[in-house]
Amino acid sequence: METVRLGKTGIVTNKNAFGALPIQRISDEDAVYLLKKAYESGMTYFDTARWYTDSEHKLGLAFEGIRDKIYIATKTGANNAEDFWKDLETSLENLKTDYIDVYQFHNPAFCPKPGDESGLYDAMLKAKEQGKVKHIGITNHRLTVANEAVDSGLYETLQFPFCYLATEKDIALVEKCKAKDMGFVAMKALSGGLITNSAAAYAYLAQYDNVLPIWGVQREKELDEFLSYIENPPTMNEEIKALIEHDREELLGEFCRGCGYCMPCPMGIEINNCARMSLLLRRSPSAGHLSKEGQEKMMKIEDCIHCNQCKSKCPYGLDTPALLQKNLEDYKKCSCRESTGMTNDMTKGAILPMLIRFTIPLVLGNLLQLTYNAIDGIVVGQYVGKEALAAVGTSNPLVTLMILFLQGICLGAGILIGTLYGAKDFETLKRQISTAMMAGIGFSLALTVTALVFAPMLLAVLQVDGAIRMEAAAYLRIIMCGLVFNFVYNFFASTLRAMGDSKSPLYFLGISAVVNIIGDCLFVIVFSMGTTGCAISTVLSEALSCLLCWLYIRKNIAFMNLGKQWIQFDRALLKQTIKYGFVSAMQQATVQLGKLSVQGTVNTMGVTSTAAFAAINRIDDYAYIPEQNIGHAMTSVMAQNRGAGEIKRVKEAFRIGMYVE
């Protein structure tokens, strides 16, 4: 168990402190339960404040009778000695105690000192002499005041915002406290909710042996998360370093920390949330922020009278009115995207029309893909000859088999992505996206290398006629070079579908189809490049659809802009992806393996028979499309509802989907 010593106070406690601000939002019974569980599990330092409404009262209820086994820190926001004594007596009464371990001045605009006009420090000294206060501390959000407090030597502890978004000046402050043997308590360790990975937050703070982080706790699952770090403290590793670096790139700069010291606003604007809405939308579940109530709160920004009260009160020196306006403009764009269906919440509404609307773009997309593949055959057959058509046709089943396995990964990933999206678990969702992408690209490259090396042997196993085998091998090798593009497109398309958007992938496929047809005409008819030109055209069109999908997601799906988080790899999530995708891949691959066995027999009958069989196979593929895509649509609807815990809708979606199919 890791512990920390709070400087000259001599207090030694577990390196997990309980922040009691959030418990003012829950009942006495729930708060007492959480506080007692925290103590029984090893937490001994509890932080509250007079300003936190009934937070002190709840601590008093929880710790009556065991006061000597815990440390309580609370705060006064008094501006004069008279109010100081009122706050102190109220706190002692609420906490059901006769002393406070660490009593702190709560974010004063100046550093209280003996003999100053406020009389605050003199009152604090007197309270300490009376035994009502054990140690004197100060909290602040202003570096100037914090540094003055440390330099003064008057305080035993400093509570200051500190997390892995810290600047060099913040880190220097921590080191100064250590040098002066002054306890350092880190508030805003999760930066007001903008940091969503508590393990990374803990690992960063663990590097500083004099820092005690305070974790705000409102729910038992939050408490359990922090309690798990007592026995298994997270340590800094390459994965966490990459995540921290990504977050620092995204969050450093002029952003609102949500401290609330700018409040209240005379126009009723909820500044501490509205001024950081752009970040909240991208780093936390967005549904509540984009709701009707959330929109009403954001629209209040338009009532701003630019009195600049918030700007003058901001401890970070932000231009708050300008920041509010900037966030409102971004919010309007995000609201527009939500309303136009860039993503689609399929956990609400009638299932049948939703399923039909979702399935139609899938069917059209596959028809489009088959059509431009068929045009490959038509162009080659008409302008090159039946041998070329046979070479292309005899290679396609092998390519299709490999693509089906990759689509199995995409389908498995899509199920998990839809489930996590429905549950609004965006952190796990990011890891799932990264893991599936890395695994799929790796598998694609392995298949490509296999085809490049063994293409003639594979075609020999299929008993491809010697007259066309070399041409077929050349075509196969070029096509397989585009396999990674095929996977990335299908993965992005599957991800968009899992989030309820089946239209965008259709548009990208349509554009690439047109490019493929133009390429066929250019390379085959104009440049007379034969099957080689046909293969090059296909690979280029696949690369284009992949690029378009990536650009669209980068611009419109903020939480998928992972940056260096693309290198996250979670083996447990990969196992689940394979588990979900294997059945679908094998189902489709079995059909294709059957076609390959028939292909091998047909290939012994000569080039004409091979070409005819290839043409018939194209037609057969069309018949399979509706059934396949209804199943994929069902999967997306069921996955989102499963993630949201809507089990009745999962069953209903399955039943309706089976009727439609």
Side-chain angles (χ1 to χ4, degrees), residues 206-224:
Q207 299 176 115
Y208 301 91
D209 59 6
N210 64 316
V211 171
L212 173 63
I214 289 176
W215 311 108
V217 176
Q218 180 177 339
R219 300 175 180 86
E220 187 173 12
K221 68 176 182 179
E222 297 168 350
L223 177 61
D224 289 340

Side-chain angles (χ1 to χ4, degrees), residues 359-370 506 509 625 629:
T359 303
I360 289 173
L362 293 181
V363 173
L364 291 175
N366 278 272
L367 288 173
L368 191 61
Q369 193 163 29
L370 284 179
L506 172 63
L509 197 59
I625 286 177
N629 287 286

Side-chain angles (χ1 to χ4, degrees), residues 39-40 50 63 90 112 127 140 160 169 182 187 192 264 284 299 369 421 443 458 477 521 602 621 624-625 627 631 658:
Y39 163 69
E40 291 165 359
R50 180 80 291 281
F63 298 134
T90 302
N140 224 272
F160 189 82
K169 292 180 179 179
M182 183 175 178
M187 60 173 155
S284 64
M299 289 306 109
Q369 193 163 29
Y421 183 75
F443 190 41
L458 292 170
R477 282 170 169 154
C521 295
V602 172
D621 288 338
Y624 185 55
I625 286 177
E627 178 186 2
M658 291 301 292

Side-chain angles (χ1 to χ4, degrees), residues 378-487:
I378 293 170
V379 172
V380 168
Q382 290 292 318
Y383 292 93
V384 184
K386 66 179 181 181
E387 290 81 5
L389 175 60
V392 171
T394 201
S395 301
N396 274 332
L398 275 174
V399 176
T400 304
L401 179 63
M402 296 179 188
I403 289 174
L404 287 174
F405 274 100
L406 292 176
Q407 286 181 344
I409 293 177
C410 294
L411 182 61
I415 292 171
L416 281 174
I417 289 168
T419 301
L420 294 167
Y421 183 75
K424 306 304 179 188
D425 184 356
F426 291 102
E427 278 307 304
T428 309
L429 177 57
K430 290 178 182 179
R431 292 203 309 277
Q432 166 61 20
I433 290 170
S434 170
T435 298
M437 177 65 85
M438 291 174 67
I441 290 176
F443 190 41
S444 301
L445 293 175
L447 289 176
T448 299
V449 171
T450 301
L452 291 174
V453 175
F454 299 108
M457 295 174 60
L458 292 170
L459 294 171
V461 170
L462 290 175
Q463 302 182 71
V464 175
D465 192 293
I468 62 170
R469 190 178 298 169
M470 293 308 295
E471 188 174 9
Y475 175 83
L476 179 61
R477 282 170 169 154
I478 297 172
I479 286 293
M480 290 303 293
C481 288
L483 194 62
V484 68
F485 300 129
N486 191 292
F487 165 75

Side-chain angles (χ1 to χ4, degrees), residues 34 50 56 151 180 205 235 365 431:
L34 289 179
R50 180 80 291 281
E56 291 179 332
D151 293 336
K180 291 184 174 290
L205 295 176
T235 55
R431 292 203 309 277

Side-chain angles (χ1 to χ4, degrees), residues 277 280-291 331 334 338 343 421 424 426 559:
M277 186 55 66
L280 290 174
L281 286 173
R282 290 161 174 80
R283 302 186 63 82
S284 64
S286 60
H289 301 308
L290 293 170
S291 66
Y331 182 85
C334 291
E338 185 77 8
T343 57
Y421 183 75
K424 306 304 179 188
F426 291 102
F559 69 81

